Amino acid sequence: MIKHKDHFHGSDLEKIEEIYGIKKEEIVSFSANVNPLGVSPLLKHTLSDQIDAITSYPDREYTSLRRCIAAYCGTETENVIVGNGSTELISLFIQVEHPKKALVIGPTYSEYEREIALGGGTTLYYPLREADDFKLNVEDFLSHLNESIDLLVICNPNNPTSSSIPRSDMRHILDVCKQYDIYVMVDETYVEFADNMAELTAVPLTNYYNNIVILRGTSKFFAAPGLRLGYAVTGNRDLIKSINTRKNPWTINSLAVIAGETMFTDSAYIKETKSLISSERARLCKLFNKNPDFKVYDPSANFVLVRILREDLTSQDLFDRAIRQKMMIRDCSTFPFLDNKYIRLCFMRPEDNDRLIRCLFHQN
C-alpha cells in the first residue's frame, strides 16, 4: 500500500490561514479545482425562494432529481443513483463489491485506496508514465489485467494529470475486464470541463456493459462542494438495488434536491463555464509552453499538471511563493509516482490566472 504524505488539500484554507497568517477569504485557490464562476445566479435565486423546503422531507426515492440527472447525462432514470457526495457512493460501492484486490491507475485521488483498505482490500497501482506524457498506454495496461483483480478504478479525466481516456479505449478495457470478471469504477468528476466530453464520457457504455459504474458530482463543475450531492450511473440494476438496500434514507437534504434540479437544467451557466475553461486552458497552456522553465501535459480537465524544469526550483518553492501572494497551488510531491518537480493548478478567471502566471514566472 502506497503511503500518501500529508499535504494541503484545496479545502484546507484554515491550515494555511494558521501557518501563513493570511485570511482564508483573501486566498484565491488554484488548488481546489472548483468552477471559478462560483454558484450560478439562478441557483442562488432559486434556493432563497424555496428555503421553506427544509420544513418537509424530500421524496425518499428522489425520482424528480434522478429524472433531471438522467436527462442531463443521456441515460434512463432507473440507471441513476444519488448520494451524499460521490464519496458516499464510492464507499457504498466498495461495501457492495467488497474487492479483495483493486487496481488503480495512478497517480490519482487517494480516497479510492482509503475506501478499499477500509473494506479489507489491497490496492495495486498501474503508473501513468511521464515518458508517455501521463497518457495511458492501453495495450501495455491491458497486459497487466488478470483474474486476481476484482476491481479497476479509473479517474477520467484523471486528477492530477488531467489526462483522459477516450470512450473507444474504455470499451476495449471493459471487454478485457469482462473476461476476467473485473468490475470497473469510473470517476467522471471532471469530464464536463473537457472540450471533447462527448468522446470521453463512458455513460453510453452502461447500455451495453453491466460491469461498469460511473461516478459524478456537483462539487467541481457546479462549484458546490458544500452541497454534498453526488450521483452514479450504471446499467447494473442488481448493483443499484444492493446499494439502495445499504443506503441510509434521506442522505440528500431538500435544498440539495432543489439545487440539483436547478443545476442540471441551467444551460446558460453550463455554457458560460465550458467557454471560460476552454479559452483559459488554451491560453495558459500556450504561455507555459513558451517558458523553458516548465513543461505542461495536455489537459482535458479544468486543471493542468506542470513539471518544473529548473534544477534550482521545487514544487514547495513555488507553493510558498504563490501563497505569500495569496494564491494557493497544489504541490504534487505527495502524489504517488510524482516528486517535488510537479505542481497542479486549475484555471480561474483571466485576471487571477494572469496574476498567478506573473508569480510563477517571477515577473514583476
Side-chain angles (χ1 to χ4, degrees):
M1 182 175 176
I2 291 176
K3 290 189 176 179
H4 297 261
K5 291 177 267 181
D6 289 336
H7 64 274
F8 290 117
H9 183 268
S11 63
D12 292 339
L13 295 180
E14 289 81 6
K15 286 185 187 177
I16 294 290
E17 188 176 52
E18 183 182 333
I19 293 168
Y20 286 90
I22 301 168
K23 290 182 180 179
K24 62 182 181 180
E25 293 81 13
E26 297 176 359
I27 298 170
V28 178
S29 179
F30 290 81
S31 175
N33 298 341
V34 173
N35 187 337
L37 293 179
V39 176
S40 86
L42 176 62
L43 181 58
K44 287 182 182 179
H45 178 74
T46 303
L47 287 179
S48 63
D49 275 1
Q50 300 196 44
I51 188 68
D52 287 345
I54 62 173
T55 62
S56 58
Y57 285 98
D59 164 26
R60 193 181 183 115
E61 304 297 322
Y62 298 106
T63 306
S64 178
L65 174 60
R66 286 167 47 240
R67 192 179 294 125
C68 284
I69 293 170
Y72 177 71
C73 293
T75 188
E76 296 176 31
T77 305
E78 292 73 24
N79 292 346
V80 176
I81 185 167
V82 292
N84 189 243
S86 58
T87 47
E88 184 197 20
L89 294 170
I90 292 170
S91 180
L92 287 167
F93 174 73
I94 297 297
Q95 287 174 38
V96 168
E97 289 301 309
H98 205 67
K100 292 184 178 66
K101 187 186 285 186
L103 181 64
V104 177
I105 297 176
T108 197
Y109 180 53
S110 61
E111 189 66 24
Y112 314 128
E113 184 181 331
R114 177 181 169 275
E115 288 294 341
I116 290 161
L118 286 173
T122 57
T123 300
L124 305 175
Y125 278 87
Y126 176 87
L128 297 170
R129 297 177 178 87
E130 199 278 336
D132 298 324
D133 286 344
F134 295 107
K135 292 177 181 176
L136 182 68
N137 181 327
V138 179
E139 292 307 316
D140 182 73
F141 171 69
L142 292 176
S143 71
H144 287 76
L145 298 177
N146 58 65
E147 57 277 345
S148 73
I149 299 165
D150 307 305
L151 174 67
L152 170 62
V153 181
I154 302 173
C155 185
N156 193 41
N158 185 44
N159 176 18
T161 62
S162 205
S163 52
S164 57
I165 303 169
R167 190 163 61 249
S168 54
D169 286 341
M170 193 71 77
R171 189 166 206 150
H172 197 181
I173 291 168
L174 283 166
D175 284 334
V176 176
C177 285
K178 194 76 175 166
Q179 293 172 25
Y180 293 123
D181 199 25
I182 300 171
Y183 215 102
V184 182
M185 183 170 76
V186 182
D187 185 341
E188 290 192 349
T189 295
Y190 300 103
V191 76
E192 290 136 298
F193 291 108
D195 284 338
N196 59 337
M197 178 185 172
E199 298 166 22
L200 296 185
T201 178
V203 168
L205 299 179
T206 59
N207 294 321
Y208 311 102
Y209 296 88
N210 66 354
N211 63 326
I212 181 173
V213 61
I214 297 161
L215 300 167
R216 289 195 196 167
T218 56
S219 295
K220 307 299 186 181
F221 189 82
F222 291 101
L227 197 64
R228 308 311 307 138
L229 174 58
Y231 59 99
V233 179
T234 180
N236 190 325
R237 302 289 167 83
D238 290 334
L239 174 63
I240 288 179
K241 187 176 179 181
S242 296
I243 289 178
N244 279 328
T245 301
R246 291 172 183 264
K247 268 184 70 178
N248 290 321
W250 302 302
T251 56
I252 300 171
N253 65 68
S254 301
L255 286 180
V257 171
I258 292 166
E261 291 173 353
T262 305
M263 286 172 174
F264 297 117
T265 56
D266 192 350
S267 56
Y269 176 85
I270 292 167
K271 184 178 179 182
E272 186 181 0
T273 297
K274 288 178 178 285
S275 176
L276 172 66
I277 297 302
S278 182
S279 60
E280 286 303 287
R281 177 169 48 219
R283 187 174 74 88
L284 262 66
C285 286
K286 191 173 181 181
L287 290 173
F288 272 109
N289 282 326
K290 288 179 179 178
N291 191 316
D293 294 341
F294 301 99
K295 176 182 178 179
V296 292
Y297 303 91
D298 189 25
S300 292
N302 62 323
F303 54 86
V304 63
L305 181 68
V306 181
R307 184 181 177 192
I308 304 161
L309 300 180
R310 264 178 56 183
E311 289 186 12
D312 62 338
L313 203 59
T314 69
S315 53
Q316 180 58 46
D317 292 335
L318 288 183
F319 177 90
D320 196 68
R321 185 193 295 176
I323 200 65
R324 291 182 188 283
Q325 294 186 36
K326 301 180 180 179
M327 293 176 287
M328 182 176 174
I329 61 172
R330 181 67 154 87
D331 172 357
C332 290
S333 61
T334 56
F335 280 98
F337 315 116
L338 298 181
D339 57 27
N340 67 355
K341 289 294 182 180
Y342 293 92
I343 59 171
R344 187 199 68 200
L345 54 102
C346 65
F347 308 115
M348 303 294 282
R349 294 178 182 271
E351 59 273 22
D352 291 323
N353 292 333
D354 288 342
R355 194 159 68 90
L356 181 66
I357 287 292
R358 287 195 297 272
C359 171
L360 297 180
F361 290 9
H362 218 51
Q363 298 168 345
N364 294 325

